[in-house]
Amino acid sequence: MDRAELTDRLGAIFRSWVEDPGSDVVATELVEGRWAVRMAQQTRDFTTVWVEPGDRTVGFEAYVLPSPRGRLEEVYRLMLVRNHRAWRVHFAIDHGGGIYLRGRVEAERADEEVLQYVFAEIYELVDLTFRPLVRTGFGR
């Protein structure tokens, strides 16, 4: 399957989620070759997952927080503890210290079932760690 076919297949899955009244996915849009998939969350209003179809893999990235202002060691420890239990996605930091969830699956395995697992894991990691990370890194 080529990238265009993969992009179309992903789009069909994401649109079906938006149309499902029981789904937490509220919007999806193709932006410069990547899908932006917006999920409603319990601990914060929304999380946008960027889904990038490639030749061999599909990548996932969700922004969690900007670079913490303090207690970095404790923040990173929280992230590593959560990474230990994560299966398909993991916490990562960018060059500026921003916190993200990232993951990747083989393109040929990126069917609705696998995508549901990936998005469920992102949802759960945000719900479990967002408030503790904010409290620890920003003192709120």
Side-chain angles (χ1 to χ4, degrees):
M1 167 181 329
D2 69 13
R3 192 180 297 195
E5 291 172 323
L6 178 58
T7 300
D8 290 344
R9 185 175 75 188
L10 295 171
I13 292 167
F14 299 147
R15 285 188 293 276
S16 76
W17 292 353
V18 171
E19 293 168 3
D20 178 357
S23 171
D24 292 313
V25 175
V26 297
T28 187
E29 179 181 8
L30 186 62
V31 179
E32 298 178 6
R34 297 187 312 162
W35 285 102
V37 181
R38 191 169 170 100
M39 291 189 297
Q41 294 263 194
Q42 294 294 317
T43 59
R44 67 182 198 185
D45 292 338
F46 299 97
T47 296
T48 299
V49 180
W50 289 92
V51 181
E52 187 167 356
D55 293 329
R56 294 187 177 93
T57 62
V58 176
F60 305 90
E61 182 175 271
Y63 176 78
V64 179
L65 286 172
S67 179
R69 294 189 190 133
R71 300 171 60 191
L72 291 177
E73 186 175 309
E74 291 175 56
V75 169
Y76 296 156
R77 183 181 184 287
L78 285 170
M79 292 166 42
L80 287 171
V81 166
R82 290 292 179 204
N83 277 351
H84 182 71
R85 291 187 169 184
W87 183 257
R88 294 167 185 86
V89 297
H90 60 275
F91 279 100
I93 56 172
D94 67 8
H95 294 294
I99 299 172
Y100 291 80
L101 286 167
R102 301 205 61 204
R104 189 169 304 279
V105 298
E106 296 173 13
E108 62 197 32
R109 294 192 61 234
D111 60 14
E112 185 165 9
E113 182 179 13
V114 169
L115 293 174
Q116 284 177 344
Y117 284 125
V118 169
F119 275 76
E121 192 164 346
I122 291 170
Y123 184 99
E124 180 180 53
L125 283 168
V126 169
D127 261 10
L128 291 173
T129 58
F130 181 73
R131 287 189 179 132
L133 288 172
V134 169
R135 273 193 308 272
T136 305
F138 297 92
R140 295 182 191 171

